[in-house]
Amino acid sequence: MDRIAQLTTRPAGREIAYDPAAAPPSLHVRAAQVLEGNWTGRSTVPSRGLYPHQWSWDSAFIAIGLRHLSPLRAQTELETLLAAQWADGRVPHIVFNPSVPLDAYFPSPDFWRSSTAGRAAGAPRTVQTSGIVQPPVHALAAWLVHLADPGLSRARGFLTRAYPRLAAWHDYLLHRRDLGGDGLVSVVHPWEQGMDNSPCWDRPLSRVTPAPARSFRRADLDHGAPEDRPTDLDYGRYVRLAADYRDRGYADAGVAGTARGATAEGGGGTGPGDFAVEDPAFNALLIASEYALARIERELGTADPPRLGRAERLTATLVERLFDPAAGMFLCRDVRAGELIPERGVSGLVPLLLPALPRDLAATLVRTACGPHFGLGGTTRLVPSYDLLGEAFDPHRYWRGPAWFNTNWLLERGLRLHGERGRADALRKGMLHAAGASGFAEYVDPYTAQACGATGFGWTAALTLDLLHDRPARGRNGLTAIKGEDPA
């Protein structure tokens, strides 16, 4: 029997009136039940109501937790996503489920038109996807999934089949998305970075003329409180950016010129270059996955020493380009304006997960995380998504202050990686408490852990499982994969 089914199926037996009340299910069982409920047969939706399709970085985090219940399902999760990869190497941020009605989510497949608008970029013909991407956590996830059951992985040829797709994905980012010309990857839409509504995007988004409100219908407001979601103005700008990128055939050629202030081929108006941002978290996750990809190559007997060197060079470039000593953390860079964006978002702490980060910089990031701007271990138990002291801070509004479980999982791993065991243990405890108390919420108030957004959220349940299995007392760390070590 499938391990998830074993956990979520109630044992048969008669109910007797005078029996004592059954103990509530454990956090482990409850998390497994969420993943079982969100499983579609080939992948896991983040949320049955709000997000009824497959999301790219959600599936990577979900696979990391799912490996503890069913390594086969975890492999299938990643395989389903990678099967929708475009010929140019990009892994789309959404893979649409054709059985879901078009009006259940916006932007829907008929907005993206991937099979027609993306034909020149090699969009698949048999599945509908979006045309933008999300952070590249996938090689790290694939390596951790392999380690969960190496025998099964080798028997199924999991890494053998995944490796060329992962390598092409990294090549796409490194060669097609170096819009600033310095080696770092740029995102061309806030949805690509994953932290959609962060105040870090406000300045570059202000250049974008929003699409008229009458031109789209927001399905997200059917499932979430409007005060917790992006504003209509923000959404109009998101739609404009995505539509213009689509209408250019999802072409990245010429975007770099636009990002530097020139006009892209094809005329004026808003184009991808109006939003081109080098984000520290996106690039840090690419570097972490470069280390993991090197481990995969070694497992397959095709080790490529330059890959490790590239990861270290990218780390140095990340420090040189995006670290701001005055802020005590990494900041986003507006490529078109040629300047750092003076907003402190959790993205700027995520490089703590990198093993080659200089020791003094790691210590600075820890001080910033625990200081007044993020309050970890003091005013907050989980790291908020945005500066507590920032003018735009809102403890409930999407990515403008609430704490998210995936970013806190990354920071917990990073703290442990750099020897901050006590702080990592406290963050782990806070995450487990918040996950259980909130019903595995999408995100929570960083002060009170009050649930916000959807409950029964996929990566919250999955990363809870990973924390429960990856016990600190056993000395394990999900990021040992990027240090060149195998977990004990």
Side-chain angles (χ1 to χ4, degrees):
M1 181 185 290
D2 188 290
R3 174 64 173 159
I4 300 181
Q6 290 178 330
L7 284 169
T8 57
T9 302
R10 293 186 177 184
R14 293 184 301 168
E15 294 185 3
I16 302 175
Y18 52 80
D19 272 357
S26 69
L27 187 62
H28 187 279
V29 168
R30 290 168 57 200
Q33 289 171 337
V34 169
L35 294 181
E36 178 71 6
N38 291 1
W39 177 251
T40 67
R42 296 292 301 173
S43 63
T44 309
V45 298
S47 163
R48 282 287 182 182
L50 185 55
Y51 305 105
H53 302 284
Q54 183 179 26
W55 262 258
S56 173
W57 76 325
D58 289 74
S59 278
F61 287 118
I62 287 168
I64 288 171
L66 196 55
R67 67 192 170 118
H68 300 295
L69 298 176
S70 171
L72 178 58
R73 280 199 190 183
Q75 291 177 29
T76 303
E77 183 82 37
L78 295 173
E79 289 166 346
T80 301
L81 177 69
L82 292 174
Q85 184 175 31
W86 292 27
D88 66 2
R90 82 182 75 194
V91 175
H93 99 293
I94 303 175
V95 180
F96 289 105
N97 182 343
S99 68
V100 174
L102 287 178
D103 62 358
Y105 182 81
F106 178 84
S108 51
D110 58 343
F111 172 89
W112 295 103
R113 306 171 201 161
S114 61
S115 59
T116 54
R119 184 180 296 124
R125 296 182 179 181
T126 57
V127 62
Q128 293 294 311
T129 75
S130 65
I132 59 175
V133 302
Q134 275 192 324
V137 200
H138 311 91
L140 175 60
W143 178 242
L144 294 176
V145 167
H146 165 78
L147 292 177
D149 191 337
L152 175 67
S153 174
R154 291 168 185 145
R156 296 187 67 248
F158 169 62
L159 291 181
T160 301
R161 288 179 286 108
Y163 170 73
R165 293 183 177 272
L166 293 169
W169 168 220
H170 286 208
D171 287 345
Y172 166 79
L173 292 172
L174 290 163
H175 297 134
R176 301 291 295 276
R177 287 299 191 87
D178 179 11
L179 306 185
D182 53 42
L184 296 182
V185 174
S186 291
V187 296
V188 299
H189 196 292
W191 290 337
E192 291 199 313
Q193 197 273 349
M195 304 177 193
D196 310 5
N197 197 36
S198 170
C200 297
W201 319 138
D202 289 354
R203 181 176 293 191
L205 273 177
S206 68
R207 295 191 293 263
V208 179
T209 301
R214 64 181 181 277
S215 66
F216 59 91
R217 178 190 173 276
R218 295 180 57 180
D220 63 314
L221 298 182
D222 296 339
H223 302 280
E227 61 270 19
D228 291 352
R229 305 294 300 173
T231 66
D232 286 343
L233 175 60
D234 289 328
Y235 225 85
R237 286 170 169 152
Y238 302 155
V239 172
R240 172 72 71 182
L241 279 174
D244 285 350
Y245 191 37
R246 175 201 66 202
D247 292 346
R248 295 179 189 274
Y250 299 111
D252 296 307
V255 174
T258 311
R260 295 187 183 95
T263 301
E265 182 179 350
T270 302
D274 287 294
F275 187 94
V277 175
E278 293 172 352
D279 173 74
F282 194 104
N283 281 278
L285 290 170
L286 175 61
I287 295 167
S289 278
E290 278 284 285
Y291 281 109
L293 205 54
R295 298 289 287 147
I296 291 171
E297 289 172 342
R298 196 159 93 182
E299 162 69 20
L300 297 177
T302 58
D304 182 8
R307 192 174 296 280
L308 290 175
R310 181 162 65 184
E312 293 177 357
R313 288 193 302 275
L314 284 170
T315 301
T317 302
L318 186 70
V319 171
E320 178 184 355
R321 293 279 294 172
L322 303 186
F323 186 76
D324 182 4
M329 63 186 299
F330 292 83
L331 301 179
C332 297
R333 179 176 291 277
D334 184 338
V335 176
R336 178 169 181 177
E339 61 186 15
L340 294 176
I341 299 170
E343 298 284 1
R344 293 177 173 90
V346 69
S347 171
L349 300 175
V350 170
L352 189 63
L353 62 84
L354 298 178
L357 193 69
R359 184 175 300 179
D360 59 328
L361 263 65
T364 298
L365 291 181
V366 172
R367 287 195 299 270
T368 300
C370 299
H373 293 285
F374 293 93
L376 180 62
T379 56
T380 65
R381 295 181 68 178
L382 272 66
V383 180
S385 52
Y386 176 64
D387 184 358
L388 297 170
L389 306 181
E391 291 184 7
F393 175 78
D394 184 328
H396 293 166
R397 193 177 286 278
Y398 202 67
W399 289 110
R400 299 180 84 85
W404 290 71
F405 289 88
N406 64 328
T407 54
N408 275 270
W409 180 86
L410 292 167
L411 292 175
E412 192 270 351
R413 307 287 84 174
L415 287 167
R416 206 171 296 284
L417 186 70
H418 288 283
E420 294 285 346
R421 180 170 179 173
R423 288 189 170 98
D425 288 349
L427 181 53
R428 174 183 180 273
K429 182 178 179 181
M431 290 176 67
L432 292 175
H433 171 78
S438 70
F440 303 98
E442 184 179 1
Y443 49 98
V444 297
D445 183 310
Y447 294 118
T448 67
Q450 174 188 340
C452 302
T455 54
F457 200 71
W459 74 29
T460 304
L463 297 177
T464 295
L465 284 170
D466 193 63
L467 291 173
L468 289 170
H469 280 262
D470 208 7
R471 299 181 188 278
R474 292 164 59 187
R476 296 184 62 185
N477 183 339
L479 289 179
T480 51
I482 68 170
K483 292 177 66 180
E485 305 167 8
D486 289 328

